[in-house]
Amino acid sequence: MSTNPAASLPPAIPNEPIPPVPPVAPNPVAPNQVPAGEAPPTEYAAWNIAGWLPLVAAIAAIVAATLIRSAAPAPHAVLVIVAVFLLLGLTPVAPGRARVLALAGRYAGTVRTTGLRWVLPLTTRRQVSTRVRNHETATLKVNDADGNPVEIAAVVVWQVRDTAQAVYAVDDFVQFVAIQAETAVRHTATSYPYDARGEGQISLREHADEITSQMAREIAARVTLAGIEVVESRITRLSYAPEIAQVMLRRQQAEAIVAARQRMVQGAVGMVRSALESLGEEDIVDLDEERKAVMVSNLLVVLCSEQSTQPVVNTGTLYQ
């Protein structure tokens, strides 16, 4: 009995279109972006008044409570509570410093007015310095754009611009400035060569103003999140690393010698050209091409030689 092989195969499955994969909903929060609900607050002035009147009122309440302590216990307790309430709100603010207030864990403003101020007693008050500060980075060893190890250090002059961001945007804004300044100095040093190799190329040694300006802009862009303003930044140390300092010094000396030789040859050629033109214009002597070549050679030797030359006086004719 013969069997059909095609009959034992399973029925073919018709080609059905694959349903499209539903698109993934985009993340509402972009990378490296703080959500709107978690954005650090910006500084605004907190409610406060001069503290001398509450201080006088607190002293008067204490005196009154002392006088009526035995006669009226209830008013005595009320006056004591009022005095404590008034004293707890007193806050001194020194020049160059500010007080960041927080009420129940939320930012409640900043007090920048100096002197004795009075604020709500239930607020916590954190003192933040708004004075201009200096931060000098450690001497960093990095590779420049040509791969040569160099040592570089810089000083950054900065101050707190927004006290709320300085307190709530980062954990420690002083350490934040130090780390970001070091990162910017490293990035700047690796972006340019120590010495320029061509015309128009910016180098660390020869273009200090351009380098420091770019470094200041980069540091300012890095620390603006913490409410920090960069006043100025300067490079305080820049040199080759000790292991290649002697080699680079010899190379610089060789380049200086070559440049000086080129300048001397250019000057000597100009002087020889001027001498030949003067001789030809004034018709002092008529020299053929061979004698002109000898004269040019002698002048170049005299002008370009490092030591004084010893002239040889020819007592005969030019052709002897």
Side-chain angles (χ1 to χ4, degrees):
M1 180 178 180
S2 62
T3 59
N4 188 4
S8 62
L9 295 176
I13 300 176
N15 293 331
E16 297 181 356
I18 300 176
V21 179
V24 181
N27 189 0
V29 181
N32 301 327
Q33 181 178 358
V34 181
E38 300 178 4
T42 56
E43 179 182 334
Y44 62 87
W47 180 86
N48 64 97
I49 60 174
W52 296 108
L53 183 59
L55 177 61
V56 173
I59 295 175
I62 293 174
V63 173
T66 304
L67 295 177
I68 65 173
R69 179 176 54 182
S70 301
H76 167 76
V78 172
L79 290 174
V80 171
I81 293 174
V82 171
V84 172
F85 182 81
L86 293 175
L87 291 176
L88 290 177
L90 295 176
T91 301
V93 181
R97 298 185 182 274
R99 293 280 186 168
V100 179
L101 308 184
L103 180 61
R106 297 183 64 87
Y107 175 64
T110 300
V111 179
R112 286 181 176 263
T113 306
T114 59
L116 184 62
R117 312 301 297 177
W118 191 85
V119 298
L120 293 178
L122 299 180
T123 57
T124 59
R125 286 145 266 180
R126 179 174 176 177
Q127 184 172 251
V128 177
S129 175
T130 57
R131 301 172 182 173
V132 178
R133 307 189 194 185
N134 290 329
H135 172 73
E136 186 174 4
T137 63
T139 302
L140 309 175
K141 182 183 291 186
V142 297
N143 293 333
D144 64 354
D146 293 338
N148 300 319
V150 297
E151 292 184 348
I152 186 172
V155 60
V156 181
V157 183
W158 61 278
Q159 68 177 150
V160 175
R161 173 183 52 83
D162 192 308
T163 57
Q165 292 181 350
V167 172
Y168 295 106
V170 294
D171 288 336
D172 187 349
F173 62 89
V174 177
Q175 184 180 6
F176 181 78
V177 172
I179 295 176
Q180 296 302 321
E182 179 178 342
T183 304
V185 171
R186 287 182 179 273
H187 181 264
T188 303
T190 56
S191 301
Y192 299 97
Y194 184 86
D195 286 318
R197 294 291 179 266
E199 295 293 336
Q201 184 180 14
I202 298 178
S203 63
L204 298 174
R205 185 172 63 90
E206 299 176 1
H207 301 82
D209 294 337
E210 292 84 349
I211 297 299
T212 53
S213 298
Q214 179 174 349
M215 184 174 61
R217 290 192 298 267
E218 184 173 352
I219 296 174
R222 291 175 180 270
V223 301
T224 185
L225 174 65
I228 305 299
E229 179 183 2
V230 176
V231 180
E232 185 186 11
S233 65
R234 290 289 178 183
I235 296 177
T236 57
R237 176 182 173 86
L238 180 62
S239 62
Y240 280 113
E243 55 266 23
I244 66 167
Q246 294 298 327
V247 177
M248 292 302 173
L249 179 60
R250 288 196 295 269
R251 188 181 71 177
Q252 292 176 359
Q253 292 175 348
E255 291 177 352
I257 292 174
V258 170
R261 289 289 186 183
Q262 291 177 351
R263 188 67 178 271
M264 291 175 60
V265 170
Q266 292 176 358
V269 170
M271 296 175 66
V272 171
R273 183 186 300 109
S274 177
L276 293 176
E277 291 177 354
S278 299
L279 291 175
E281 291 175 357
E282 299 180 6
D283 198 13
I284 298 176
V285 63
D286 188 13
L287 299 176
D288 57 7
E289 296 299 327
E290 181 180 358
R291 292 303 171 183
K292 286 183 180 180
V294 174
M295 179 180 178
V296 169
S297 176
N298 293 335
L299 287 176
L300 288 177
V301 170
V302 172
L303 294 174
C304 297
S305 177
E306 293 184 356
Q307 299 177 356
S308 58
T309 58
Q310 300 294 331
V312 177
V313 179
N314 187 3
T315 59
T317 64
L318 293 174
Y319 297 94
Q320 290 181 354

